[in-house]
Amino acid sequence: MMGSDTRFLLILALPFLAAALAPILFRRLPAIAAAGLALFPAAAFAILLSALAPVAGGTAILAGFNWIPELGIHFSVRLDGLSLVFALLITGIGTLIVLYAGAYLGQHRDRGRFFAFILLFMGAMLGLVLADDLATLFVFWEMTSVTSFLLIGFDHEREAARRAAIQALAITGGGGLALLAGFLTIREVAGLGSMTQILASGEALRMTAAYPAILILVLCGAFTKSAQMPFHVWLPNAMEAPTPVSAYLHSATMVKAGVYLLLRLNPALGGTALWETILPAFGSVTLVGGALLALRASDLKMVLAYTTVASLGLLVMLIGAGSQEAVAAAVLYLIAHSLFKGGLFMVAGSIDHGAGTRDIERLGGLRAAMPLTFAAALLCALSMGGVTPLVGFLAKETIYHALVEGDAASALLLIAAVAGNALMFAAAFLVALAPFVGDRPGAIAHPHEGPPALWLAPLVLGGLGLAAGLFAPAFHAAFSVPMASSAAGRPVAIDIGIAPHINLPFALSLATIAIGIVLYLTASRLRRALVRGLEAIGWGPDRGFDQMMRGLLRGAFGITRILQNGRLDIYITVTFTVIALAVWLPMTLTGTLPAVPVMPHLRFYEWMVLALILIGIFAVVRAKNRLTAIVSLGIQGFAVALLFMLLGAPDLSFTQFMVETLSVVVLALVMTRLRLSPSDHRPWREMLPDVALAVAGGAGIGLFLLRLTQRPFDNALSDFFTAYSRTIAHGRNIVNVIIVDFRGVDTMGEIAVVMTTGLAILALIGIRVIRRDGAPAAVSPAAPAAGEARP
Amino acid sequence: MEAALAFVVGMLFAVAIYLLLSEHIIRMLLGLVLLGNGVNLLIFAAGRASAVAPPIIPVDADVPSAVTANPLPQALILTAIVISFSFFAFLLVLAYRVYQDLGTDDTDRMRLAEPEDDDLPPLGY
Amino acid sequence: MRSVILRATAPYLTALMVLFSIFVLLRGHNEPGGGFIGGLIAASAFAIYGIACGVASVRQAMHFHPLAIAGAGLMLAVLSGCLSIPLERPFLTGLWAFPAVLGGDVGLSTPMFFDIGVYLVVVGSISAIALALEEEDS
């Protein structure tokens, strides 16, 4: 069933509108600006809520218009279970983030810019998940890369922030290009231009020969965006951004874009051996690796960043596991993760705000000073740890349930899931518990709760996680079932509740928590061991990125040095070598060398003129002084003019005469001042290759011309001009009629060129010459007269 | 006639290329002038040079009474001559200015825009 | 180059050459000649005048800055092309009128004004170049 409603096209405009207003609002009404801006995503959220009932009933709402009709590209959106839940998370968490950022940034100088960026990002992300047309999707996909670049590099005066921003752009933008190639391939081989068409195509994509190429290209896009190892490095480095950005980008939005794409394309691309190998392999490695790296970090935000990497790995692994239940598990975990990770990032920001540091080793005993933040943190951490009755518990039970039922391969995945979850359990409580319990270090002088938004926003997210768990049946009906059904491509039933059943998954849950507690208690020893281990390895993808960028610069520099070596003689040699090859190769390869010409029967004076040209040009080469060179040049020029006259071209002849006269005058004027010798100083070993190239080029052009004139001539154009010169254009001099009438536009361009060179020459002469050694050179006083010559 | 023209054009190109390969900027300019003439004659010969009557229609006729020379290449060359002259003048002045500025006419020693010992660009972010 | 004979005859020579150039320009549509050739002749006339009598007197004689002449020529060429637009013909379509003046037919046409534009551009640009170089030389 499909419906259509343009309201959902308009909500896309709301964040962009807010972004445009942000800088003005912060200048005019700074007190209520953040709250005012939060109204825009809130309105979008409210409109989206109204779609819940029809979408839960299985309807996909479509809207759009023709964008580039010539290419069959539309601007269209598709609202179904999957995109609706994503859109709700983006606008809902987005509203809280805007409020939180208003409090977090306080009186920051560039608040307006920050809010413009983050709202732009919100619009891009919303467009990404709503887009139906592949071109629309790609545009929004790259827009998220660009806006996240701006957000990560917000603090652009620090090199670390610039580096993180460039890294994120290079990795996610590069993946975006691969994705574009994938989309174009889909369009080319299967003729599918939108998600709706792709979802309706059934087996079409899996059956094409290009399927492996399509899959790998799309996965490159998804894995870079969703930070799968080894592309994960940009995500922890992006912690250079202000905390609200981290809370937004790394919980529900940016990093989930890749996961969204995988869920979206699962019905069309999934289910194959390739899919079920690559995704679990990357996912499980990312899960365990990310979780281990999380325990190494001591900065709260870094811990959270690496657990985000691990969570993304878990999601990718689940999508690749293939079963319907695994998809259901991925959907539940995705929603749970968006809520608890967004909340925990906000908590980390609030701790930083209240206590002045984010270093786990220097935090402690904040529970009395920041009770509300503590409550929010606990709610989120319990959800992350998978403790009933929070939504995280539902997710983890479903994960274990889905993996337990599989074969030997999924047993490996099960082990990875338990290990990853246990590590993440420890990490969650390192962030949410450790800073609040124990003794308060003396360095933290005045810990305090921040403004209400700083604790309210994470508390809301934690509370939502609790509510989703408590009212599990309603939650499933409204959100997880429609979403999972869209992602699986057929109806999926989810009935997991918060009441534990005694079975294998529950046992695994208990084991996870037990291992997690042990890891939490030994965290600082574990951290030191991990740090030592990584130092021993001494290399990682992050350093690899630096090496790659440096290599790129060095490589580019080297190539430029070769291609653009600054030596004019080499440029000219290359140019004429190419020209010589271009005339010689086709003639010799296709055997179309000209026939040997018969000796032409020319009159005596025609021989004389030709000889005069040859004498002139050889005299130019051999000339030992300026005067000889100029005179010789004039001789060959006048001889060419004579030749034109003999060959029935009086106009050319006159023009050539005048130009040769002026050339000699101008040359004489300049050369007398240059005091240069025009003679050659080339030694023999340099001269020989030059002579060879000159002979090859000259002979090639000569033979080319000979060949050309031996072929039949198509006279159509000249006949046209001759026939109509008088009858239409009222002119008897056909050459002149062509110049001023038939081909007048050409002539107009040409006189414009003549005038431009005149201007350029006057400008060149007018420039005051400064010698490179610093002393002004002698310039005649009349030189700057160009502009003041009017009497 | 075309065969003879082909020979002359080949010679003009050969000498022009040889002069352009020189390191002295004045010789390069002389080469450019020869190259311009060579190209003009090339276009002219490509339009055939058998008929030698100027492409002009008699006063009392609507079309030429006899076969005339091909007017189209003539129109192309006519503007080309003027443009190549103005470019030649531009290059001449440029060379003159460069000579005043850098004190050399040797293109190998004109390294202002592309210095020989250019350093690596900064490798940071 | 400052010979007395040349300096004495240069103004007359220049005037004659400019007159000749205008003749070449106007006959160009029917006989050999035209804007490019006429312009080159006039420009060399000014160049000779400059060599003989100095650039300052040429500038005085030309009254306008050479590049202003060239600019006017370019504008004239463009305007003569635009004339066909109100008549809903493509840009640069030739328009002709044959008013009877002094008993004879005079062909007035946009290509003629276009050619005059070409002439002015060539005169202006080339003489600007030549005069600038002569100034350098002095």
Side-chain angles (χ1 to χ4, degrees):
Chain A
M1 277 208 298
M2 306 241 173
S4 171
D5 198 331
T6 45
R7 268 185 309 168
F8 301 105
L9 209 53
L10 292 178
I11 57 165
L12 256 185
L14 284 171
F16 292 106
L17 197 63
L21 284 176
I24 308 167
L25 219 52
F26 273 98
R27 213 171 304 137
R28 294 290 153 87
L29 299 164
I32 58 157
L37 289 173
L39 288 177
F40 287 84
F45 184 78
I47 298 172
L48 284 165
L49 276 182
S50 72
L52 262 184
V55 167
T59 312
I61 300 170
L62 298 172
F65 55 86
N66 269 344
W67 187 7
I68 312 173
E70 295 84 4
L71 300 176
I73 290 174
H74 306 273
F75 188 95
S76 55
V77 300
R78 175 189 169 91
L79 202 59
D80 59 6
L82 183 59
S83 50
L84 178 62
V85 174
F86 260 103
L88 284 170
L89 287 172
I90 290 163
T91 51
I93 297 181
T95 308
L96 293 174
I97 288 286
V98 169
L99 290 171
Y100 180 87
Y104 184 84
L105 286 178
Q107 298 301 312
H108 193 287
R109 183 165 50 96
D110 292 324
R111 278 172 304 165
R113 196 154 58 93
F114 177 86
F115 278 89
F117 287 167
I118 204 158
L119 287 159
L120 270 180
F121 173 81
M122 188 186 295
M125 196 62 213
L126 198 57
L128 194 163
V129 298
L130 290 181
D132 185 26
D133 189 272
L134 294 185
T136 315
L137 193 151
F138 174 74
V139 167
F140 283 116
W141 181 282
E142 290 296 58
M143 205 189 280
T144 59
S145 294
V146 172
T147 46
S148 65
F149 165 80
L150 294 171
L151 284 169
I152 295 167
F154 178 69
D155 207 355
H156 58 84
E157 282 164 17
R158 286 184 307 115
E159 186 180 354
R162 292 198 297 272
R163 175 176 182 271
I166 291 170
Q167 192 180 41
L169 186 66
I171 293 177
T172 63
L177 292 180
L179 182 67
L180 176 65
F183 283 171
L184 290 177
T185 316
I186 289 177
R187 232 179 109 116
E188 205 53 41
V189 301
L192 303 170
S194 72
M195 285 299 175
T196 304
Q197 289 169 1
I198 288 177
L199 293 179
S201 70
E203 289 290 306
L205 282 177
R206 277 186 292 257
M207 297 316 255
T208 61
Y211 172 75
I214 292 174
L215 183 64
I216 287 174
L217 288 169
V218 168
L219 289 184
C220 277
F223 283 3
T224 48
K225 205 81 160 180
S226 281
Q228 299 300 295
M229 284 185 177
F231 306 119
H232 69 285
V233 289
W234 72 267
L235 197 152
N237 286 336
M239 293 302 122
E240 295 295 337
T243 302
V245 175
S246 314
Y248 196 41
L249 263 62
H250 302 139
S251 61
T253 57
M254 176 82 170
V255 297
K256 293 278 173 64
V259 174
Y260 164 79
L261 192 72
L262 294 178
L263 285 171
R264 174 56 91 199
L265 291 172
N266 178 36
L269 293 180
T272 61
L274 203 57
W275 176 278
E276 289 178 4
T277 311
I278 299 179
L279 266 68
F282 273 87
S284 52
V285 168
T286 308
L287 167 61
V288 179
L292 273 174
L293 289 172
L295 287 191
R296 179 203 59 170
S298 60
D299 180 332
L300 291 179
K301 274 176 77 176
M302 279 305 196
V303 175
L304 291 171
Y306 280 111
T307 61
T308 304
V309 172
S311 301
L312 293 166
L314 178 58
L315 285 168
V316 169
M317 184 180 102
L318 287 170
I319 297 169
S323 67
Q324 282 187 33
E325 197 169 14
V327 170
V331 162
L332 282 173
Y333 188 76
L334 189 147
I335 299 173
H337 177 258
S338 299
L339 297 175
F340 69 66
K341 194 55 66 67
L344 282 176
F345 267 116
M346 290 183 189
V347 165
S350 300
I351 291 174
D352 192 10
H353 191 274
T357 177
R358 295 194 312 250
D359 191 336
I360 292 178
E361 318 232 345
R362 291 195 282 153
L363 282 166
L366 295 175
R367 65 189 174 282
M370 306 176 74
L372 294 162
T373 309
F374 185 36
L378 273 183
L379 274 176
C380 293
L382 287 170
S383 184
M384 184 168 167
V387 178
T388 192
L390 288 110
V391 69
F393 172 77
L394 307 181
K396 197 164 61 176
E397 289 299 291
T398 318
I399 292 169
Y400 290 157
H401 208 266
L403 295 177
V404 160
E405 287 172 354
D407 49 10
S410 70
L412 276 176
L413 301 185
L414 191 63
I415 295 170
V418 172
N421 270 327
L423 286 162
M424 282 201 278
F425 180 92
F429 284 92
L430 278 177
V431 173
L433 192 61
F436 296 97
V437 297
D439 297 325
R440 205 176 79 204
I444 305 171
H446 299 292
H448 57 278
E449 286 285 11
L454 285 192
W455 50 262
L456 193 58
L459 208 52
V460 167
L461 288 178
L464 283 174
L466 181 61
L470 289 177
F471 304 103
F475 168 70
H476 291 324
F479 302 102
S480 39
V481 168
M483 188 174 179
S485 303
S486 291
R490 65 190 92 108
V492 173
I494 303 177
D495 50 14
I496 182 88
I498 49 170
H501 302 275
I502 308 301
N503 52 14
L504 186 54
F506 184 67
L508 287 171
S509 274
L510 290 181
T512 306
I513 293 173
I515 302 169
I517 291 173
V518 173
L519 288 171
Y520 174 78
L521 293 174
T522 56
S524 46
R525 241 176 304 157
L526 206 57
R527 182 180 310 129
R528 281 193 289 276
L530 280 167
V531 168
R532 269 199 304 277
L534 288 169
E535 273 173 1
I537 296 171
W539 189 89
D542 202 27
R543 285 206 38 206
F545 177 80
D546 278 344
Q547 287 162 346
M548 190 196 75
M549 293 302 273
R550 272 202 293 274
L552 206 62
L553 268 171
R554 281 181 206 280
F557 185 73
I559 290 173
T560 311
R561 281 314 282 271
I562 293 169
L563 293 181
Q564 216 166 311
N565 46 36
R567 292 187 49 134
L568 192 58
D569 50 341
I570 292 178
Y571 299 161
I572 291 181
T573 307
V574 170
T575 307
F576 281 108
T577 307
V578 170
I579 290 177
L581 286 178
V583 290
W584 273 108
L585 279 184
M587 278 198 296
T588 47
L589 291 183
T590 60
T592 49
L593 281 168
V596 178
V598 291
M599 197 62 181
H601 294 288
L602 301 182
R603 291 168 204 282
F604 172 70
Y605 55 84
E606 287 173 331
W607 283 118
M608 287 303 295
V609 170
L610 293 178
L612 205 55
I613 296 178
L614 295 182
I615 291 167
I617 57 183
F618 283 108
V620 172
V621 186
R622 303 294 305 159
K624 291 276 180 244
N625 62 55
R626 281 169 287 179
L627 192 64
T628 323
I630 296 174
V631 169
S632 315
L633 195 70
I635 288 174
Q636 67 81 35
F638 288 124
V640 170
L642 272 176
L643 188 62
F644 283 140
M645 182 64 95
L646 294 179
L647 294 176
D651 284 308
L652 289 192
S653 186
F654 294 150
T655 312
Q656 178 83 16
F657 267 119
M658 296 314 303
V659 161
E660 284 308 326
T661 315
L662 282 165
S663 294
V664 169
V665 169
V666 167
L667 256 179
L669 283 171
V670 172
M671 272 180 118
T672 47
R673 289 183 54 84
L674 275 184
R675 291 180 188 80
L676 301 174
S677 160
S679 65
D680 207 355
H681 306 294
R682 267 180 271 194
W684 270 103
R685 76 192 132 68
E686 280 180 30
M687 201 195 268
L688 277 179
D690 288 358
V691 168
L693 179 56
V695 168
I701 295 281
L703 288 179
F704 167 74
L705 179 57
L706 200 57
R707 171 72 191 162
L708 190 74
T709 53
Q710 283 170 357
R711 294 182 52 78
F713 183 54
D714 178 5
N715 222 10
L717 264 179
S718 305
D719 285 344
F720 172 87
F721 292 135
T722 310
Y724 294 108
S725 172
R726 181 111 198 234
T727 47
I728 298 181
H730 310 286
R732 293 191 291 108
N733 180 355
I734 304 170
V735 175
N736 184 265
V737 171
I738 294 175
I739 290 175
V740 298
D741 203 333
F742 288 133
R743 302 195 54 82
V745 182
D746 274 9
T747 310
M748 182 167 288
E750 279 149 0
I751 56 178
V753 171
V754 171
M755 169 142 184
T756 311
T757 46
L759 280 171
I761 289 171
L762 287 203
L764 265 180
I765 290 179
I767 293 172
R768 240 175 73 82
V769 174
I770 308 288
R771 281 247 183 204
R772 287 298 136 196
D773 51 20
V779 176
S780 64
E788 54 193 47
R790 280 162 176 274
Chain B
M1 189 71 200
E2 281 97 349
L5 278 180
F7 180 73
V8 171
V9 167
M11 279 300 178
L12 275 168
F13 266 85
V15 171
I17 292 171
Y18 179 72
L19 286 173
L20 278 169
L21 287 170
S22 162
E23 278 153 19
H24 296 283
I25 208 152
I26 283 297
R27 284 177 74 78
M28 299 180 70
L29 283 172
L30 297 175
L32 267 179
V33 174
L34 294 184
L35 190 68
N37 277 337
V39 171
N40 286 344
L41 280 179
L42 175 77
I43 297 173
F44 194 92
R48 305 299 187 272
S50 43
V52 293
I56 289 174
I57 302 166
V59 181
D60 50 1
D62 276 344
V63 289
S65 43
V67 178
T68 67
N70 192 349
L72 183 60
Q74 294 193 20
L76 297 179
I77 296 167
L78 196 130
T79 48
I81 292 173
V82 178
I83 288 192
S84 48
F85 169 70
S86 46
F87 260 107
F88 166 68
F90 175 73
L91 291 174
L92 189 67
V93 173
L94 192 62
Y96 170 52
R97 273 306 188 208
V98 167
Y99 177 69
Q100 277 189 325
D101 199 13
L102 302 178
T104 177
D105 71 328
D106 186 344
T107 56
D108 272 357
R109 286 167 58 198
M110 297 178 186
R111 304 301 300 242
L112 201 60
E114 295 158 313
E116 206 133 17
D117 47 354
D118 218 359
D119 288 330
L120 265 176
L123 293 175
Y125 290 91
Chain C
M1 291 291 221
R2 292 290 164 86
S3 86
V4 179
I5 300 174
L6 187 60
R7 209 184 310 176
T9 55
Y12 305 103
L13 191 62
T14 305
L16 271 176
M17 281 178 80
V18 170
L19 204 62
F20 178 63
S21 76
I22 294 172
F23 168 69
V24 168
L25 157 71
L26 292 180
R27 81 198 275 265
H29 213 53
N30 292 321
E31 304 290 339
F36 279 106
I37 305 169
L40 285 170
I41 294 172
S44 31
F46 289 122
I48 289 170
Y49 191 23
I51 289 171
C53 306
V55 174
S57 50
V58 185
R59 293 203 187 276
Q60 189 112 40
M62 287 179 88
H63 188 73
F64 297 107
H65 189 277
L67 275 180
I69 296 176
L74 194 56
M75 197 184 287
L76 182 66
V78 173
L79 285 179
S80 73
C82 291
L83 218 59
S84 59
I85 291 175
L87 299 173
E88 297 185 1
R89 306 261 185 89
F91 178 65
L92 270 171
T93 307
L95 303 173
W96 287 79
F98 296 95
V101 179
L102 301 173
D105 275 354
V106 176
L108 274 183
S109 66
T110 54
M112 188 180 86
F113 287 108
F114 186 81
D115 215 7
I116 294 173
V118 171
Y119 171 85
L120 291 175
V121 170
V122 174
V123 175
S125 304
I126 307 288
S127 55
I129 296 168
L131 293 181
L133 287 173
E134 284 169 17
E135 249 163 2
E136 271 299 89
D137 197 41
S138 57

